[in-house]
Amino acid sequence: MRNPQDGAAGLFLLAVAAFALWQGADLPLGTLRSMGAGMLPTSLAVLVGLFGFILVVLAFLEDGPALERWNLRGPIFILGSVIVFALLIRTAGLAIAGPVAMLVSCFASDEVRWKEAVIFSVCMTAFCILLFKVMLSLPIPVFTLF
C-alpha cells in the first residue's frame, strides 16, 4: 500500500457502510415511486461504501503520507457534543441544546476562534429553529427550561 492514510480511511468507510447496511437490512426499500424507510439509509450506505472502495484502490496506486499517531481529543469532544445535545434537547430545548453542543464540539480543536464559534452556533441554531419548528412544523421543543 503506497498511501496508508487513504487506505485506512477507505477501510473505515467500508466498515461504516457495512454496519449501516446491516442495521438497515430489515427496513423496506420500496420503489423509486414509493420509497420505503430503507431507501435513503441504504442508498447512503452504498455511496459511502463506494467512496471507501475508491479510496482503498487509490491507496495502492498513488503515493501518500504514512499513518500518524491518532489524537483522541477530536473524536471525544465530537461524540461528547452529540451526547450533550441528546441530554439537553428534551430538557432545555433546541435554543439551548444547539449552541451548547456546537460549543462543546469546538473543544475538539485548539485552533478555535471563540467569538466566531459563538456567533456561528447562535446563527445555526436560529436557522434550525426556523427550518424545523417554523417551516417543517416538527414537534421539537425550542425552549423548555422554565
Side-chain angles (χ1 to χ4, degrees):
M1 187 175 293
R2 295 168 54 186
N3 189 345
Q5 199 169 43
D6 281 358
L11 291 173
F12 177 76
L13 289 178
L14 285 171
V16 168
F19 180 76
L21 286 171
W22 171 60
Q23 287 295 305
D26 294 338
L27 297 173
L29 287 177
T31 64
L32 288 178
R33 286 186 178 260
S34 175
M35 292 187 205
M39 181 70 77
L40 181 65
T42 301
S43 302
L44 290 177
V46 168
L47 284 173
V48 167
L50 180 65
F51 287 126
F53 179 74
I54 291 170
L55 272 176
V56 169
V57 169
L58 291 176
F60 285 100
L61 301 176
E62 299 175 352
D63 291 328
L67 280 176
E68 298 176 3
R69 188 168 188 267
W70 291 5
N71 185 357
L72 291 179
R73 177 180 177 173
I76 287 173
F77 279 107
I78 298 298
L79 179 62
S81 71
V82 173
I83 293 170
V84 164
F85 184 83
L87 292 174
L88 286 177
I89 188 66
R90 289 187 189 263
T91 58
L94 184 57
I96 302 296
V100 170
M102 283 187 257
L103 292 174
V104 167
S105 70
C106 287
F107 286 102
S109 172
D110 55 358
E111 300 175 7
V112 175
R113 293 182 286 206
W114 287 102
K115 182 178 178 183
E116 292 173 3
V118 168
I119 293 170
F120 178 75
S121 66
V122 169
C123 290
M124 282 303 296
T125 301
F127 173 75
C128 288
I129 291 170
L130 179 68
L131 175 66
F132 296 121
K133 189 68 175 177
V134 176
M135 296 172 73
L136 295 176
S137 300
L138 294 177
I140 295 175
V142 174
F143 192 76
T144 59
L145 269 181
F146 302 105

